């Protein structure tokens, strides 16, 4: 019986034209993605939008509550605090970091540097370290004790100990430092790849015209790197909006001064069993990402126009 | 005069780079220092900056608190199987998008690119309930199966296969009577080994270090990946920092060693992955 079916199928396949067989194989080869995406990507995403309008504790009945979940989170000061925190930590962690990465890249690109590959490895190794490990190490580095390494170092400069984990700015600076540390080398190597692709004769021509080094940097290096800078800023923005592990581990739970949007979402869902408001938070995060991406998009477009 | 200025520049640049490198490596070194110190050192002034003698004892305490090797094994299983799946299914789909003609090909590829922009947290809660419904809570399948193929992998493979393999080669093989899967297996796979290496490293690292999703679906200690296990160490009520950092250090070491061994390949893989995107 089985072999009979098999022969039938083979005969049918042989009857197909070559073109049809190719098309069939094409659909077959791409189907695993669409299958998995339907179950674990598209459906959950759409269901999040549905859940955002329901009241649900995870096991009982769902009840439709209209926009109440949104009004609940929008009137919760902690929700707004979490958005504020996310933006502040994101800016602190990426702004200075990208500038430092660019400086390191320019330094590494200089012809006179020896042991370039050693530096590359040293700068890159933080990025191989997991966020959990980074957050644990920095929790101890930024210990609130006087003897914490960062506090002890600051005291050498006459600065009194900072309560890193429980103060408004302390927590943000410590978390931003983790992000800085883990990504600065990575981004500097991306910038370095960009620098190496800038034709040398541009600099030679500028040199002949009497342009100083900083002028060359401002009028050749930065414009030529623009596509890479735009890309890095895009990814850094989206990554910043999704910060979760660092504040969870560093703040040992859900402290107000280090609450981020994803942490707020996670707490609503898996600590408070409020899956409706958690989904409303997820939808808000999605909209926020769209807003920030659009801002980035228009900013880079405007930069493009003013550059020409 | 000019030569003197060049020398000063050279020294400045090197000093800058060396300070940067030291700051970059120091937290890792210090993680090792703390992994060898007794807990009370954490409150001692001046802070310890050289290794102590508690290397073995601290790690023994780790083993008493979490199933360290079990968690390492779980991470290894999850990361390896996911990587294998991603390599196979992404290259298969990438091949289809690059070289096979079928209706709607460009549109379907555009759909795949668009799915890359969806933040993973958007579907987190329903995903959690799907996993619960499937009975995969506390099961490594919950991590592996949803991760078996992803949009970035397909995109990456398509770009590579498009340039790496001439259309004539595929046509010739088809005329010789090769089935399309044979073309994939005998012609495409051997020509894209570098792309496998890059995508493999990217995927393995990503899965090994992932935290949010495993934290959500792996609640039972026997299913912990290493990231969740060291987080559990740190989350304990009584904090023994020598022990916590010992666990963190030994959990970090394997990947760092592999990175140091293949650093060129790692750096180019991880940065190419983003530059080409």
């Amino acid at each position: 019986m089985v072999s009979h079916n098999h022969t039938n199928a083979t005969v049918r396949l042989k009857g197909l034209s070559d073109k049809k067989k190719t098309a069939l194989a094409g659909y077959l080869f791409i189907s695993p993605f669409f299958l998995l995406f339907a179950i674990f990507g598209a459906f959950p995403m759409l269901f999040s939008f549905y859940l955002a309008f329901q009241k649900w504790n995870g096991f009982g009945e769902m009840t439709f509550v209209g926009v109440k979940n949104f009004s609940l989170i929008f009137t919760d000061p902690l929700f707004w605090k979490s958005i504020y925190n996310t933006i502040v930590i994101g800016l602190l962690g990426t702004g200075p970091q990208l500038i430092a990465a660019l400086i390191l890249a320019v330094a590494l690109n200089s012809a006179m540097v020896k042991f370039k590959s050693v530096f590359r490895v040293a700068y890159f190794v933080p990025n191989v370290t997991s966020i959990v490990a980074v957050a644990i190490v920095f929790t101890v580095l930024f210990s609130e004790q006087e003897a914490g390494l960062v506090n002890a170092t600051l005291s050498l400069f006459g600065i009194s100990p900072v309560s890193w984990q429980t103060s408004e700015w302390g927590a943000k600076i410590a978390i931003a430092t983790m992000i800085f540390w883990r990504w600065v080398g990575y981004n500097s190597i991306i910038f370095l790849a960009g620098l190496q692709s800038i034709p040398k004769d541009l600099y030679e021509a500028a040199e002949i015209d009497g342009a100083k080094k900083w002028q060359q940097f401002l009028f050749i290096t930065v414009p030529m790197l623009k596509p890479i800078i735009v890309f890095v800023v895009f990814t850094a923005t989206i990554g910043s909006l999704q910060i979760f592990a660092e504040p969870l581990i560093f703040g040992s739970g859900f402290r107000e001064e280090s609450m981020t949007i994803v942490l707020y979402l996670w707490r609503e869902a898996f600590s408070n069993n409020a899956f409706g408001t958690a989904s409303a938070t997820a939808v808000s995060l999605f909209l926020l990402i769209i807003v920030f991406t659009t801002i980035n998009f228009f900013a880079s477009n405007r930069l493009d126009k003013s550059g020409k | 005069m000019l030569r003197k200025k060049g020398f000063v520049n050279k020294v400045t640049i090197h000093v800058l780079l060396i300070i940067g490198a030291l700051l970059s490596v120091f937290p890792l070194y210090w993680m090792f220092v703390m992994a060898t110190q007794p807990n009370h050192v954490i409150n001692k002034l001046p802070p310890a900056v050289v290794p102590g003698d508690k290397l073995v004892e601290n790690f023994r305490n780790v083993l008493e608190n979490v199933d360290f090797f079990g968690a390492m094994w779980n991470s290894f299983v999850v990361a390896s199987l996911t990587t294998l799946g991603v390599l196979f299914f992404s290259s298969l789909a990438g091949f289809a998008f690059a070289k096979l003609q079928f209706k709607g090909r460009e549109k379907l590829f555009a759909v795949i690119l668009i799915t890359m922009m969806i933040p993973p947290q958007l579907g987190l809660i329903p995903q959690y309930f799907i996993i619960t419904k499937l009975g995969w809570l506390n099961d490594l399948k919950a991590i592996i199966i949803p991760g078996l193929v992803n949009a970035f992998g397909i995109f990456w493979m398509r770009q590579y296969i498009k340039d790496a393999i001439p259309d004539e080669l595929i046509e010739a093989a088809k005329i010789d009577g090769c089935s399309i899967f044979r073309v994939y297996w005998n012609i495409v796979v051997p020509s894209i080994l570098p792309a496998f290496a890059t995508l493999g490293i990217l995927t393995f690292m990503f899965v090994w270090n992932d935290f949010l999703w495993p934290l959500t679906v792996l609640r039972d200690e026997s299913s912990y990946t290493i990231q969740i296990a060291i987080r559990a160490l740190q989350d304990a009520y009584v904090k023994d920092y020598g022990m916590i950092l010992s666990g963190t250090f030994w959990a970090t070491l394997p990947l760092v060693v592999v990175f140091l061994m293949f650093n060129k390949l790692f750096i180019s893989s991880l940065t190419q992955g983003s530059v080409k995107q």
Side-chain angles (χ1 to χ4, degrees):
Chain A
M1 190 64 201
V2 171
S3 75
H4 180 73
N5 269 346
H6 181 75
T7 353
N8 258 353
T10 325
V11 169
R12 233 185 305 140
L13 262 180
K14 278 212 174 117
L16 287 175
S17 73
D18 209 42
K19 222 172 152 188
K20 276 203 174 130
K21 256 193 259 174
T22 308
L24 203 65
Y27 292 124
L28 194 67
F29 290 177
I30 64 171
S31 60
F33 172 83
F34 288 97
L35 189 71
L36 283 181
F37 181 72
I39 303 170
F40 298 109
F43 173 72
M45 184 182 81
L46 297 174
F47 202 73
S48 276
F49 283 95
Y50 174 78
L51 258 184
F53 299 94
Q54 309 286 327
K55 185 176 184 197
W56 192 38
N57 62 6
F59 27 90
E61 288 283 301
M62 289 180 203
T63 39
F64 178 77
V65 290
V67 292
K68 196 167 158 229
N69 289 327
F70 289 96
S71 62
L72 273 175
I73 58 170
F74 291 164
T75 51
D76 179 2
L78 191 58
F79 173 78
W80 295 107
K81 187 78 199 306
S82 78
I83 291 184
Y84 167 79
N85 287 348
T86 308
I87 294 171
V88 170
I89 293 171
L91 286 175
L92 284 177
T94 51
Q97 182 225 120
L98 295 184
I99 294 168
L102 196 54
I103 294 172
L104 282 179
V106 171
L108 263 181
N109 194 37
S110 139
M112 41 194 172
V113 171
K114 296 223 167 69
F115 309 113
K116 269 186 197 178
S117 54
V118 178
F119 283 119
R120 271 161 53 102
V121 170
Y123 292 153
F124 208 84
V125 74
N127 199 250
V128 183
T129 319
S130 78
I131 298 180
V132 180
V134 174
I136 291 175
V137 174
F138 277 71
T139 304
V140 188
L141 275 171
F142 283 90
S143 146
E144 304 218 331
Q145 313 287 334
E146 225 173 296
L149 195 61
V150 174
N151 274 341
T153 312
L154 287 179
S155 75
L156 296 180
F157 300 96
I159 300 169
S160 47
V162 178
S163 6
W164 295 107
Q165 272 142 44
T166 49
S167 66
E168 175 69 23
W169 282 97
K172 291 189 177 63
I173 291 171
I175 292 170
T177 311
M178 295 178 208
I179 298 167
F180 186 110
W181 182 74
R182 191 157 183 269
W183 287 101
V184 67
Y186 178 90
N187 282 327
S188 76
I189 284 166
I190 291 202
F191 284 143
L192 180 64
L195 287 175
Q196 284 164 344
S197 66
I198 301 176
K200 292 270 178 301
D201 44 344
L202 280 181
Y203 292 103
E204 280 157 21
E207 197 96 32
I208 292 166
D209 289 346
K212 297 204 168 61
K213 281 274 182 236
W214 66 266
Q215 286 172 320
Q216 294 178 19
F217 178 77
L218 219 57
F219 297 112
I220 300 174
T221 313
V222 173
M224 291 298 282
L225 274 186
K226 217 210 88 191
I228 293 187
I229 294 175
V230 167
F231 168 78
V232 169
V233 170
F234 259 83
T235 28
T237 311
I238 292 173
S240 299
L241 289 171
Q242 301 174 348
I243 297 169
F244 168 75
E246 295 94 336
L248 178 73
I249 289 167
F250 184 75
S252 284
F254 309 110
R255 292 195 58 89
E256 194 189 319
E257 53 276 349
S258 49
M259 178 70 73
T260 59
I261 310 173
V262 180
L263 199 55
Y264 183 89
L265 187 169
W266 209 83
R267 192 190 69 143
E268 284 299 292
F270 300 109
S271 177
N272 297 349
N273 285 334
F275 291 97
T277 46
S279 299
T281 312
V283 170
S284 309
L285 169 66
F286 181 55
L287 296 178
L288 204 65
I289 290 180
I290 292 177
V291 167
F292 272 88
T293 312
T294 316
I295 293 174
N296 266 339
F297 184 75
F298 280 112
S300 69
N301 264 359
R302 269 193 76 162
L303 231 92
D304 235 8
K305 281 195 193 117
S306 64
K308 271 168 200 166
Chain B
M1 185 60 203
L2 203 71
R3 192 187 261 170
K4 200 172 166 193
K5 200 180 157 205
F7 178 74
V8 172
N9 269 342
K10 195 171 167 175
V11 171
T12 322
I13 287 180
H14 277 90
V15 167
L16 177 78
L17 288 175
I18 290 168
I19 291 174
L22 289 177
L23 287 175
S24 193
V25 176
F26 180 76
L28 294 170
Y29 165 75
W30 193 73
M31 175 161 68
F32 171 68
V33 171
M34 282 291 135
T36 61
Q37 295 282 1
N39 188 36
H40 62 83
V41 165
I42 191 133
N43 293 325
K44 202 187 75 184
L45 264 172
V49 283
V50 287
D53 57 358
K54 294 282 186 277
L55 181 71
V56 178
E57 195 184 316
N58 281 340
F59 188 61
R60 214 176 278 148
N61 288 336
V62 171
L63 295 184
E64 268 170 31
N65 279 282
V66 288
D67 181 7
F68 182 86
F69 292 108
M72 278 297 234
W73 173 248
N74 285 345
S75 277
F76 181 74
V77 168
V78 164
S80 310
L81 292 182
T82 308
T83 304
L84 282 178
V86 166
L87 293 184
F88 178 66
F89 290 119
S90 300
S91 60
L92 211 53
F95 167 55
F97 280 121
K99 298 291 176 188
L100 303 180
Q101 294 297 335
F102 51 91
K103 230 175 134 186
R105 185 175 83 163
E106 304 311 317
K107 279 193 188 122
L108 288 169
F109 187 64
V111 169
I112 289 188
L113 292 185
I114 290 168
T115 67
M116 285 208 280
M117 292 173 207
I118 302 168
Q121 294 86 0
L122 180 57
L124 183 75
I125 292 156
Q127 276 162 4
Y128 168 77
F129 285 104
I130 290 172
I131 294 297
T132 314
K133 272 267 181 300
L134 289 168
W136 293 355
L137 221 55
N138 300 321
D139 190 327
L140 298 183
K141 279 206 285 283
I143 318 281
I144 299 166
I145 309 258
L148 279 178
V149 55
N150 61 57
F152 174 75
I154 295 176
F155 166 76
W156 177 255
M157 282 298 177
R158 175 195 178 253
Q159 303 306 90
Y160 196 92
I161 292 169
K162 221 177 165 179
D163 302 334
I165 301 159
D167 290 341
E168 298 79 41
L169 196 64
I170 291 171
E171 286 313 312
K174 275 205 238 162
I175 289 165
D176 283 350
C178 273
S179 73
I180 293 166
F181 188 78
R182 279 283 295 274
V183 174
Y184 162 78
W185 194 251
N186 291 349
I187 295 172
V188 176
V189 169
S191 351
I192 58 169
L193 297 181
F196 277 142
T198 301
L199 186 61
I201 287 176
L202 275 171
T203 311
F204 192 94
M205 283 253 317
F206 180 80
V207 180
W208 183 275
N209 286 339
D210 195 18
F211 180 63
L212 177 62
W213 182 237
L215 183 75
T216 309
V217 290
L218 305 179
R219 304 299 181 87
D220 185 76
E221 213 201 306
S222 65
S223 65
Y224 280 177
T225 58
I226 191 67
Q227 306 304 334
I228 311 300
I230 56 173
R231 143 85 181 157
L233 274 184
Q234 189 255 1
D235 210 25
Y237 187 68
V238 183
K239 295 204 189 319
D240 173 354
Y241 278 101
M243 185 266 287
I244 294 170
L245 284 175
S246 173
T248 312
F249 172 74
W250 291 108
T252 306
L253 193 66
L255 212 54
V256 169
V257 169
V258 178
F259 165 71
L260 292 178
M261 275 161 38
F262 304 103
N263 65 73
K264 277 222 171 84
L265 187 62
F266 261 72
I267 294 177
S268 74
S269 299
L270 291 168
T271 51
Q272 264 177 53
S274 85
V275 172
K276 289 229 172 117
Q277 204 173 350

